[in-house]
């Protein structure tokens, strides 16, 4: 790390640059603008295979330099952090190499292709003593953080149920071209790992650890064009939709659904948690609001109340705009990166860490095992 105007700086090297590359770059730039952190990120280098494209993206995203080989980025002395925003099959190799080179590591989700890879990644960062984090950003929506606070305070009592879904519709058109997210050797699982991993993480964050699961999935469109206006078709090799039931160690029950064929749902990431004394609802498509019901309200006033989580008493919001002014998707990543910077400052990996990523992977694996065996599967413990 270096010092700049009295602050320590960490020089970020990013591998990949498309959707998540843009999101992460914006978040790094937003950290010092909104928050007073001990450590400030610097966009130092970016890596991608296509030199013309990565050079262009380096300029757009604000990186000082670029590489066409991620290994060279990791080898550089002027890089402190490796940020992985590649397709899933590259996560493990990059993270392990980065840890062995003494770089802090942050990776997009899901952490790995398999639990074996996830364990190797966790072992590597722990052995190297570097700070690590996985990007389950929805934890960092102020409304979700406030839900966590209410649960920890016992406001809804012992949790009995969670029902959660992440439902989209961007693959409903069978002429949508084949992408890496639809190829098992690149992505691992389809809808289950891509968006199902998000609701699994939210459930772990808010309810607790999974005990056992049973699931089902479906491949709705089995072939897709290899490109725009292409007549050549390629095979889809992952699930398009997945649902599963769960039991948690604390006795709570769960119902989960992930699909990319739910018409009219652009990003329907939603949960409802029911406890002995009340309930909590949240929906990404209305992300600043939290709905809360308390059983001990007088009968004539019972019902869900809507709390607009933009006030000074809500997590993270005082760093942004005056009460009542909404924040958006990109701010969840800024909040996440603030935690990552604080972790680098203290030397303690913030949650969700690679350990959280591996625990998430255990649930994904158990769901897949249950589907293939057509019976309940236990979720492995650490």
């Amino acid at each position: 790390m270096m010092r700049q105007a009295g602050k320590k700086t960490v020089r970020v090297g990013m591998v990949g640059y498309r959707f998540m590359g843009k999101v992460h770059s914006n978040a790094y730039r937003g950290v010092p603008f909104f928050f007073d952190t001990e450590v400030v990120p610097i966009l130092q280098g970016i890596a991608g295979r296509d030199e013309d494209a990565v050079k262009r993206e380096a300029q757009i995203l604000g990186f000082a330099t670029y590489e066409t080989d991620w290994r060279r980025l990791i080898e550089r002395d002027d890089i402190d952090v490796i940020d992985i925003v590649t397709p899933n099959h590259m996560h493990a190799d990059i993270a392990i190499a980065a840890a062995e080179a003494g770089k802090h590591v942050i990776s997009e989700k899901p952490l790995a292709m398999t639990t074996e890879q996830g364990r190797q990644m966790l072992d590597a960062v722990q052995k190297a003593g570097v700070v690590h984090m996985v990007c389950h950003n929805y934890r960092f929506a102020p409304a979700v953080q406030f839900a966590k606070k209410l649960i920890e305070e016992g406001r809804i009592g012992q949790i009995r149920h969670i029902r959660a879904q992440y439902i989209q519709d961007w693959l409903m058109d069978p002429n949508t071209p084949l992408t890496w997210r639809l190829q098992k050797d690149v992505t691992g699982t389809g809808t289950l790992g891509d968006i199902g991993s998000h609701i699994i993480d939210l459930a772990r964050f808010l309810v607790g650890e999974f005990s056992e699961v049973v699931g089902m999935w479906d491949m709705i469109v089995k072939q897709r064009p290899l490109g725009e206006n292409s007549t050549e078709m390629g095979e889809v090799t992952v699930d398009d939709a997945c649902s599963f039931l769960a039991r948690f160690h604390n006795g709570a029950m769960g119902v989960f659904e992930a699909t990319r064929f739910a018409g009219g749902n652009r990003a329907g990431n939603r949960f409802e948690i029911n406890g002995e004394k009340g309930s909590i609802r949240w929906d990404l498509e209305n992300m600043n609001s939290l709905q809360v019901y308390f059983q001990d309200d007088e009968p004539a006033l019972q019902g869900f109340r809507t709390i607009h989580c933009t006030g000074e008493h809500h997590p993270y919001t005082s760093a942004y705009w005056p009460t009542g002014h909404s924040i958006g998707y990109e701010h969840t990543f800024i909040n996440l990166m603030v935690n990552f910077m604080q972790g680098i400052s203290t030397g303690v990996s913030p949650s969700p860490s690679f350990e959280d990523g591996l625990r998430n992977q255990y649930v994904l694996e158990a769901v897949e095992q249950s589907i293939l065996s057509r019976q309940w599967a236990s979720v492995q413990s650490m």
Side-chain angles (χ1 to χ4, degrees):
M1 290 192 293
M2 300 175 62
R3 286 194 172 271
Q4 181 179 4
K7 296 248 184 187
K8 292 180 180 178
T9 61
V10 291
R11 298 159 296 184
V12 177
M14 182 178 292
V15 185
Y17 51 79
R18 297 197 186 277
F19 172 31
M20 279 298 118
K22 188 171 186 177
V23 171
H24 286 211
S25 301
N26 177 74
Y28 287 122
R29 295 165 73 169
V31 167
F33 188 86
F34 290 107
F35 292 87
D36 183 17
T37 56
E38 292 293 323
V39 171
V40 177
I42 301 295
L43 301 184
Q44 189 72 5
I46 190 169
R49 290 172 297 180
D50 183 329
E51 183 167 8
D52 290 339
V54 73
K55 181 179 180 180
R56 180 179 64 253
E57 292 301 321
Q59 294 173 342
I60 293 172
L61 300 179
F63 283 86
T65 62
Y66 71 89
E67 299 283 358
T68 56
D69 187 335
W70 58 264
R71 295 170 184 83
R72 287 203 295 268
L73 193 66
I74 289 175
E75 292 167 357
R76 285 170 42 172
D77 293 333
D78 64 340
I79 298 294
D80 304 304
V81 169
I82 292 295
D83 186 326
I84 305 169
V85 294
T86 65
N88 304 341
H89 71 302
M90 298 179 66
H91 290 186
D93 287 347
I94 298 170
I96 292 169
E100 290 174 347
K103 316 295 187 185
H104 305 300
V105 190
I106 185 167
S107 176
E108 261 304 320
K109 58 80 224 164
L111 180 64
M113 297 276 282
T114 64
T115 55
E116 181 181 359
Q117 280 190 352
R119 168 54 68 184
Q120 292 171 352
M121 294 167 73
L122 179 59
D123 288 345
V125 293
Q126 289 180 334
K127 181 179 180 180
V130 297
V131 174
H132 48 93
M133 199 170 186
V134 62
C135 291
H136 284 295
N137 61 296
Y138 298 117
R139 286 191 183 203
F140 297 96
V144 174
Q145 291 282 318
F146 190 57
K148 175 72 168 179
K149 181 175 184 291
L150 294 175
I151 291 169
E152 288 184 336
E153 290 174 350
R155 299 293 295 274
I156 66 168
Q158 181 179 348
I159 295 174
R160 292 173 173 155
H161 309 288
I162 177 173
R163 60 195 64 79
Q165 57 181 197
Y166 202 153
I167 56 178
Q168 303 175 334
D169 65 358
W170 65 277
L171 282 178
M172 288 187 66
D173 183 352
N175 294 314
T176 299
L178 190 72
T179 74
W180 67 266
R181 296 180 189 275
L182 303 176
Q183 298 171 293
K184 186 173 180 60
D185 60 343
V186 180
T187 191
T189 61
T191 301
L192 172 61
D194 186 29
I195 54 180
S197 63
H198 274 306
I199 53 178
I200 289 169
D201 181 73
L202 287 172
R204 288 190 55 253
F205 180 56
L206 296 168
V207 177
E209 297 300 339
F210 287 72
S211 174
E212 56 181 348
V213 295
V214 62
M216 60 184 292
W217 62 20
D218 194 13
M219 184 188 298
I220 298 171
V221 176
K222 296 178 173 58
Q223 289 188 324
R224 290 186 177 273
L226 293 181
E228 294 288 347
N229 303 316
S230 174
T231 58
E232 189 175 357
M233 305 295 284
E235 299 294 324
V236 174
T237 53
V238 296
D239 54 290
D240 285 322
C242 180
S243 300
F244 65 94
L245 305 177
R247 178 73 73 178
F248 292 78
H249 283 295
N250 60 15
M253 299 168 58
V255 180
F256 296 82
E257 180 186 15
T259 179
R260 297 182 284 218
F261 281 76
N265 292 276
R266 301 301 190 251
N269 182 359
R270 307 174 183 121
F271 63 75
E272 179 175 317
I273 298 172
N274 309 123
E276 60 180 335
K277 298 193 293 185
S279 299
I280 294 175
R281 291 175 179 163
W282 179 75
D283 184 347
L284 174 62
E285 293 184 346
N286 191 17
M287 63 168 281
N288 289 282
S289 294
L290 190 70
Q291 289 191 305
V292 180
Y293 165 80
F294 294 120
Q295 185 71 26
D296 59 3
D297 284 344
E298 59 182 280
L301 294 177
Q302 284 183 348
F304 277 94
R305 69 189 71 177
T306 299
I307 303 167
H308 200 239
C309 296
T310 58
E312 60 180 312
H313 302 295
H314 299 120
Y316 296 105
T317 53
S318 61
Y320 296 107
W321 320 123
T323 299
H325 293 74
S326 298
I327 63 171
Y329 170 77
E330 68 273 22
H331 295 89
T332 66
F333 283 91
I334 296 174
N335 298 341
L336 183 151
M337 292 302 181
V338 166
N339 281 264
F340 189 45
M341 293 300 110
Q342 291 172 338
I344 291 173
S345 177
T346 62
V348 178
S349 297
S351 187
S353 65
F354 276 23
E355 179 178 334
D356 290 288
L358 179 57
R359 289 182 183 275
N360 192 297
Q361 209 77 43
Y362 284 146
V363 180
L364 295 174
E365 180 181 77
V367 172
E368 186 170 11
Q369 287 175 347
S370 80
I371 293 169
L372 297 177
S373 66
R374 302 178 69 87
Q375 60 186 0
W376 283 86
S378 296
V379 177
Q380 183 175 336
S381 300
M382 294 288 285

